[in-house]
Amino acid sequence: MLRGPRAIFKRDFKKFLSNPFIIVSTLLIPVMYLIVFGSAIGGTLSHVPVGVVQEAPPYNDTPLFTSAAYQLNHISQGNQNDAEKLLDVTVYPDEAQAKQDLENGKISAVIVFPSSVSSDNAVRLYVDSSDSTTPPMIEAALNGVLLALGASNPVTVDKIYGDITYIQFFGVGVIVMAIFTSTSFGGGIALIKDRENGIHEGYLVTPVKRSSIILGIISSGTVRAFIAGFVIFWIDLMITGLTLQSFQDFVLVLVVILIVSIGVTSFVVSFASRFSSQQEYSPVIAFFNLILFMTSGAFYPVIGMPGWLRWITVINPEFYGISALRSIILRNQGIGVIWMDLVALMIFSSMMILIGILTFRRTLE
């Protein structure tokens, strides 16, 4: 009675043991979840860029301004052995320029100190409220410095983008997650299933070029990913209550979703073309899904991640996509702010398409 199940067990377990790649992936992915997820979420914020400026006239710095700027620039986070600066303070000579840099995303806050030493004059704090984590920390640091200096000036806080909740902050990242999920299960697995079913063998006996096969697969995957991103974009607006300010913003969102779809699809297909079975492909794409989404800033500001993890964002297309979408949807910013994100995405897409073409197998193994 047990002979049949035992035979099936032995065959299936030998098949598992014969593939060391699957064994390693089974053990590696939980470890990577522990390291990456644990480091990317809830980390200690450090080196947050803020601007300080004094009201004018008069143009002579007050003792409060001089002392507070110095103290703010020397606040440390963490233990004494590896303490890092909490704030990177830039002193501005002009309030208008400081606010312009805040609106362009170069700094996270502007602190305007009164030109009079009177304690009745308020210290004005302008914060980028599209990030729900950093503003409270900056406000707490400012209040702590004023308390240490014995200044009783009240602090007024201006959230330049209004009250943005965490679900609105996170909802933008879900749009990019939908794009990756769609293309990993659509474009990537579809390519491998075609190979398993012999479809590629049919391609290879025709004069179809290697580049044509890859470009066709990427194009199909891009359309599916774009549709998924577009649908989730509308669902995100309905659930979170966000609204776009103009038709131009709507067009920019579509452009970003399209470019992200091309980049992510090209990335997935370039890796999927190297695998001959879904069993090998699935753990690899799950690993990359973890790395890319956790370091994209969707959950938590990138500035709160450790230095070694921040470097991954430099080559992470999801980081640039989420950054561009947040600039449009949450901050009502245009092409003048997001153009660097778009250029980075287009460079990444071009590289992945080239890699996919160069590595695609012309022969069946």
Side-chain angles (χ1 to χ4, degrees), residues 11 54 196:
R11 177 187 177 279
Q54 182 175 284
E196 292 176 338

Side-chain angles (χ1 to χ4, degrees), residues 184-313:
S184 61
F185 287 101
I189 290 183
L191 186 150
I192 295 174
K193 288 182 66 176
D194 283 350
R195 175 174 288 134
E196 292 176 338
N197 295 329
I199 303 299
H200 285 176
E201 186 175 0
Y203 291 151
L204 298 175
V205 297
T206 67
V208 176
K209 295 181 180 180
R210 173 172 54 184
S211 58
S212 299
I213 298 174
I214 285 294
L215 290 175
I217 294 172
I218 290 175
S219 299
S220 175
T222 297
V223 171
R224 289 195 294 265
F226 177 82
I227 293 173
F230 182 74
V231 171
I232 296 300
F233 161 65
W234 281 110
I235 294 175
D236 178 47
L237 294 185
M238 289 187 291
I239 292 177
T240 63
L242 290 169
T243 58
L244 295 180
Q245 301 298 317
S246 66
F247 180 74
Q248 180 183 0
D249 289 345
F250 175 72
V251 173
L252 279 177
V253 167
L254 296 186
V255 170
V256 173
I257 291 176
L258 176 61
I259 297 177
V260 172
S261 298
I262 295 172
V264 173
T265 302
S266 303
F267 173 79
V268 170
V269 170
S270 68
F271 274 93
S273 64
R274 304 303 302 163
F275 295 97
S276 57
S277 70
Q278 297 181 49
Q279 190 179 22
E280 295 177 351
Y281 166 79
S282 296
V284 173
I285 207 63
F287 170 77
F288 279 112
N289 184 30
L290 164 70
I291 292 292
L292 295 179
F293 197 61
M294 289 298 105
T295 60
S296 66
F299 287 103
Y300 193 74
V302 172
I303 202 169
M305 300 177 188
W308 64 269
L309 202 54
R310 290 187 203 178
W311 281 105
I312 300 178
T313 64

Side-chain angles (χ1 to χ4, degrees), residues 39-52:
S39 301
I41 305 300
T44 301
L45 296 171
S46 62
H47 297 282
V48 179
V50 301
V52 296

Side-chain angles (χ1 to χ4, degrees), residues 170 172-182 289 293 299 318 322:
F170 176 66
V172 177
V174 174
I175 300 172
V176 176
M177 182 174 68
I179 293 173
F180 188 94
T181 302
S182 173
N289 184 30
F293 197 61
F299 287 103
E318 295 190 7
I322 291 174

